[in-house]
Amino acid sequence: MAKKKVLGISFGRKMANTDVMVKAALMECEKAGFDVQFIRGDDLDIRPCTGCISCVVGMTTGRGKGGCPIKDDFHIIDEALMECDAVIVGSPTYETSPTGRFKTVCDRIGPSHDITFRKATYDEGIAAGKPADQLPDPRSFKKRVGALISVGGAMTKNWLAFMLPLMYEFTMSMGIDVVDMHEYHGAMAYEHVLGNENEMERMKKMGQNIAEALKAETEKERTKWRGDEEGVCPVCHLDMLTVSKDRKSVECPVCGIKGEFAVKDGKLEVSFSEEEQKRSRLRWDGKLEHSTEIKTQAVGPGQIPNLKELKAPYIGYAEK
């Protein structure tokens, strides 16, 4: 039996903090007997998603398998993701959130790799007798675990406020179960993370957590949360909340689920029902809810017969 593989992806500078932290976690996975691979995002030529939606249209019409028409280096990350059983992703903080390259990669993974789109297309293709090369990659449906690493120089943690919430975009479409995450803030106080023993030990622990998840014999043990902080949301384990317009409920913006809140003994307590947790967009039901919405409510071309004329006043307007 082939050994399981752990993929590490860094969106930081070569051999800077993020690179080394991802590699430190990978080293523990290798010690545990797994194959490892490291990719530095900035070494690749990955162009932005154009929003052409050909990936989704191809799958929903049965004429495609989720491929992207853009020809660049994205296929390197794509193949590495298909091969891996776990992924550890790290990014430095640029203006309170991950790097532009990180977001570009997330956009390219996006709906093209959504497991609910791919599974429906695959099953329908099998039923229709289509050959394998016309179907989504069956490795898309492999159960994977993941870990997220956020790195920021700011001494005040809230300058990294949008890091981990946005980093879930990397794992969301493919249904990768995040079992650990860590935020390293105050990095400017050290010349390099190699001078911060606590952080290096935490990365070793992250690698060990991934290894333990890969060795798990039950689904419950595989997806078990292994991070240091529980967070207010029981699904993504983050503390970010949005407040409803009527101020009567809160929502986890990562999971897209509604919760109830109360203040007891001066502390905010938030609860999410089992039903809401099940429809988190990090889980199958939540993703299926979204893909079904797109399939049943998205309007195709030709609905506005005079669209060309309506666009005419805007063509080239104020462009230099």
Side-chain angles (χ1 to χ4, degrees):
M1 182 182 293
K3 287 197 292 185
K4 291 183 178 181
K5 177 176 282 187
V6 183
L7 172 64
I9 304 181
S10 166
F11 290 88
R13 292 180 293 114
K14 188 173 183 178
M15 287 303 295
N17 290 338
T18 305
D19 259 28
V20 169
M21 292 172 75
V22 171
K23 288 182 176 181
L26 282 181
M27 288 175 180
E28 292 300 310
C29 294
E30 186 175 32
K31 288 179 186 177
F34 300 105
D35 286 339
V36 298
Q37 179 184 5
F38 176 82
I39 294 176
R40 184 178 302 105
D42 285 356
D43 286 348
L44 305 177
D45 173 27
I46 299 179
R47 294 160 54 194
C49 173
T50 64
C52 72
I53 67 171
S54 64
C55 57
V56 173
V57 172
M59 288 189 284
T60 55
T61 60
R63 297 196 298 266
K65 54 182 182 179
C68 179
I70 299 174
K71 305 303 179 185
D72 58 8
D73 290 339
F74 179 73
H75 65 92
I76 295 173
I77 285 183
D78 190 11
E79 178 60 21
L81 283 170
M82 289 296 104
E83 282 191 350
C84 80
D85 299 277
V87 60
I88 301 170
V89 187
S91 174
T93 307
Y94 288 5
E95 294 302 322
T96 73
S97 59
T99 72
R101 180 91 59 178
F102 172 88
K103 186 63 170 64
T104 294
V105 170
C106 291
D107 290 347
R108 290 287 295 279
I109 293 173
S112 68
H113 287 64
D114 186 290
I115 54 173
T116 57
F117 276 118
R118 287 200 172 193
K119 191 67 169 66
T121 303
Y122 185 86
D123 290 346
E124 291 164 8
I126 289 292
K130 287 188 175 182
D133 62 357
Q134 293 181 21
L135 301 175
D137 193 323
R139 295 176 296 175
S140 304
F141 317 125
K142 185 191 304 185
K143 290 184 176 180
R144 298 174 174 86
V145 294
L148 309 174
I149 303 170
S150 159
V151 184
M155 305 303 292
T156 306
K157 190 173 182 178
N158 65 22
W159 278 98
L160 284 67
F162 300 107
M163 283 295 294
L164 290 172
L166 281 174
M167 290 189 75
Y168 265 97
E169 290 186 4
F170 193 99
T171 60
M172 192 178 292
S173 290
M174 292 179 64
I176 298 171
D177 295 297
V178 175
V179 298
D180 192 8
M181 61 186 170
H182 178 66
E183 195 154 73
Y184 174 31
H185 72 283
M188 68 171 69
Y190 294 84
E191 178 184 358
H192 195 284
V193 71
L194 287 168
N196 189 329
E197 184 178 345
N198 289 337
E199 287 299 317
M200 294 304 296
E201 286 299 316
R202 180 63 178 87
M203 289 302 97
K204 290 179 182 179
K205 180 61 177 174
M206 177 175 284
Q208 293 162 7
N209 286 340
I210 288 292
E212 289 174 5
L214 288 176
K215 292 177 180 178
E217 296 183 358
T218 67
E219 184 68 0
K220 183 178 181 180
E221 183 67 14
R222 185 186 71 83
T223 61
K224 172 186 170 182
W225 177 246
R226 302 170 189 273
D228 289 343
E229 298 181 10
E230 284 294 336
V232 70
C233 176
V235 183
C236 69
H237 304 281
L238 291 171
D239 286 324
M240 181 175 282
L241 296 170
T242 53
V243 181
S244 64
K245 293 294 184 183
D246 61 10
R247 302 295 192 268
K248 294 181 179 179
S249 64
V250 293
E251 186 174 86
C252 171
V254 173
C255 296
I257 58 176
K258 181 179 177 182
E260 304 301 323
F261 69 92
V263 177
K264 295 182 180 179
D265 299 325
K267 291 184 178 181
L268 180 69
E269 293 187 2
V270 182
S271 61
F272 295 89
S273 68
E274 290 294 329
E275 182 180 6
E276 283 294 305
Q277 291 180 46
K278 189 177 180 182
R279 60 175 294 273
S280 163
R281 54 175 143 248
L282 303 183
R283 294 178 172 171
W284 177 270
D285 284 16
K287 279 187 278 292
L288 183 61
E289 180 181 307
H290 180 59
S291 60
T292 300
E293 181 181 68
I294 292 172
K295 289 177 181 178
T296 58
Q297 298 184 39
V299 176
Q303 302 296 313
I304 305 176
N306 63 332
L307 184 59
K308 184 176 180 180
E309 290 78 11
L310 291 172
K311 283 183 177 180
Y314 304 96
I315 296 175
Y317 176 75
E319 297 177 14
K320 298 291 185 180

